[in-house]
Amino acid sequence: MTVPRPLLIGSEIYRGSTYGPKHPLAIPRVPATLDLLRALRWIDPRRYLDSPRATVEQLTRYHTLDYVAALRQAEEDQSVSPAIRERHHIGAHGNPVYREVFRRPATSAGGAILAARLTRGGGVVHVPGAGTHHALPDRASGFCYINDPVLGLLEWLDLGLTNILYVDIDAHHGDGVELAFRNDPRVFTLSIHEAGRWPFTGRLEDRAGGHARNIPVPVGFNDTEMDHVLHAAILPILRHLRPQAVMLQCGADALEEDPLARLSLSNNSHMAVTRALRDEAPRLIVTGGGGYNPWTVARCWSAIWGTLDDRPMPTFLPPAAEAVLRGLEWHRAAGRNPPEHWFTTLVDPPRPGPLRDEVVAACAAVTRDLPEPATPAPAG
């Protein structure tokens, strides 16, 4: 049987869109990724789709109608009242009102929903613009306005799937997704994130009704430790549950150079997790997520697409791809004198390190007392 080649979903809504000059999401991420992929000649037009914008009806599958209306009005007015700010956290708590404050997250959601539909019968889809895993039903949270992973997972459920695994390797706990499915045995959530970091949830002992596991990892979490997590936790859980579909939230803020976390992964770890899940999941959606260094995000998400599409990784980037990276700007201290390899390479040098006892113990803890699969894996 011929396995379908992976699909890539993107959009131009992100180009020139910014949360504001002083916000961590002032940087281009999806445009830089797509430009880099085009410069590498890794985008086959037959397998690239523009993300649709999710409809109000689709958004209210999870979010409240009042909240969606408030987002639409905030975009139209480019301001919010104190009451809306207090109630929905739009324009507050790091969630600014910006030019595309409704259209941009609605487009990310549309991409996640489309990805679920495209994988109804199997396959792989990469949606780098999705992955906003903190948004809650009636308010913005953690730079996230619409919870597109939740909407993509709900689409899979609406299509008849009953056994889904969500894996989150963002530096921040995937709290919004865990909360959405805490009482739904059809979706099992697994989050690997930095211990003690915002949103200060996702403790090792938190199991959300039994259908969630959390691995809070220590500062300096390295490639050796992620390899252990992959083989001692992620894959054993996947093989026990035998899910019909897997969604991987592949935030790039766990990389060593990211300013909003203190983890020390190279993008080799993201590629390894992606490859392992691709090889075992009947259906796979890979989203983006966090990531606040434009060079490391673009390189990571491009390498993820290359991994999904079995592209050979270049030792050095061709001139057109290097030009894309040299054209990026970052107005933080680390962006004033970036190292040369941020321009010339795609894959980081590996970042091995000690395998600490707390990581080993956490993996053992999350694989104990796993629930039985919600449904047998489909034949074929």
Side-chain angles (χ1 to χ4, degrees):
M1 183 176 70
T2 302
V3 178
R5 301 290 298 277
L7 303 174
L8 178 64
I9 296 177
S11 174
E12 287 299 300
I13 190 71
Y14 308 98
R15 192 173 300 278
S17 176
T18 171
Y19 279 34
K22 296 183 179 180
H23 196 282
L25 282 178
I27 63 170
R29 304 187 315 162
V30 178
T33 300
L34 295 178
D35 288 348
L36 185 55
L37 291 175
R38 290 188 179 102
L40 287 164
R41 299 184 178 181
W42 281 5
I43 296 182
D44 180 344
R46 296 167 296 181
R47 293 189 288 121
Y48 175 85
L49 297 95
D50 279 320
S51 176
R53 188 186 308 169
T55 65
V56 171
E57 181 181 12
Q58 289 173 322
L59 296 173
T60 53
R61 178 70 176 82
Y62 178 63
H63 294 281
T64 66
L65 183 59
D66 284 351
Y67 175 58
V68 173
L71 270 180
R72 297 177 74 188
Q73 196 64 47
E75 179 170 300
E76 183 175 335
D77 297 343
Q78 285 298 290
S79 64
V80 292
S81 68
I84 292 295
R85 187 178 300 114
E86 176 67 23
R87 179 180 177 185
H88 296 302
H89 292 187
I90 303 169
H93 307 292
N95 311 303
V97 176
Y98 65 99
R99 188 177 59 197
E100 305 89 2
V101 70
F102 171 74
R103 285 176 293 149
R104 174 169 160 174
T107 300
S108 299
I113 294 167
L114 176 61
R117 290 179 174 177
L118 290 168
T119 53
R120 180 175 187 171
V124 177
V125 180
H126 184 32
V127 197
T132 52
H133 57 171
H134 297 304
L136 300 174
D138 64 347
R139 66 182 185 270
S141 179
F143 314 160
C144 303
Y145 300 84
I146 296 293
N147 201 313
D148 52 66
V150 167
L151 291 169
L153 293 165
L154 287 171
E155 186 68 20
W156 263 340
L157 294 177
D158 290 346
L159 290 171
L161 301 187
T162 56
N163 181 4
I164 299 170
L165 174 62
Y166 172 79
V167 179
D168 192 317
I169 61 172
D170 194 285
H172 302 82
H173 176 228
D175 59 332
V177 183
E178 180 182 298
L179 180 65
F181 296 103
R182 64 181 299 115
N183 297 316
D184 192 334
R186 298 174 297 174
V187 179
F188 188 99
T189 63
L190 172 63
S191 179
I192 299 97
H193 50 270
E194 184 179 335
R197 180 158 296 281
W198 188 94
F200 311 110
T201 53
R203 298 174 302 166
L204 180 62
E205 58 270 28
D206 293 344
R207 295 197 168 187
H211 308 292
R213 295 294 186 274
N214 290 291
I215 303 178
V217 298
V219 170
F221 181 63
N222 59 62
D223 285 353
T224 303
E225 291 173 320
M226 180 57 99
D227 183 71
H228 182 79
V229 169
L230 174 61
H231 290 97
I234 298 174
L235 289 177
I237 288 172
L238 182 147
R239 290 164 183 166
H240 172 82
L241 296 176
R242 294 177 289 123
Q244 297 163 308
V246 177
M247 181 181 289
L248 172 62
Q249 199 270 20
C250 217
D253 46 6
L255 298 174
E256 185 173 68
E257 303 92 342
D258 197 272
L260 294 194
R262 296 181 295 168
L263 305 181
S264 297
L265 297 181
S266 75
N267 59 22
N268 293 277
S269 284
H270 289 64
M271 294 162 62
V273 173
T274 299
R275 185 180 301 109
L277 293 180
R278 180 203 64 180
D279 291 347
E280 300 210 21
R283 301 164 181 83
L284 177 65
I285 295 172
V286 181
T287 74
Y292 307 96
N293 174 327
W295 290 285
T296 56
V297 175
R299 291 166 66 246
C300 181
W301 292 351
S302 296
I304 287 167
W305 170 250
T307 299
L308 293 172
D309 203 31
D310 280 325
R311 300 280 183 168
M313 296 294 158
T315 302
F316 294 101
L317 291 172
E322 182 178 331
V324 170
L325 295 174
R326 290 192 183 277
L328 298 176
E329 294 183 352
W330 193 31
H331 298 294
R332 295 182 69 102
R336 294 173 193 149
N337 189 27
E340 190 68 9
H341 73 270
W342 287 4
F343 304 139
T344 59
T345 65
L346 190 66
V347 179
D348 296 327
R351 295 191 179 117
L355 175 56
R356 286 167 282 185
D357 291 345
E358 61 197 286
V359 175
V360 174
C363 291
V366 300
T367 52
R368 286 196 292 266
D369 304 319
L370 290 168
E372 287 307 304
T375 188

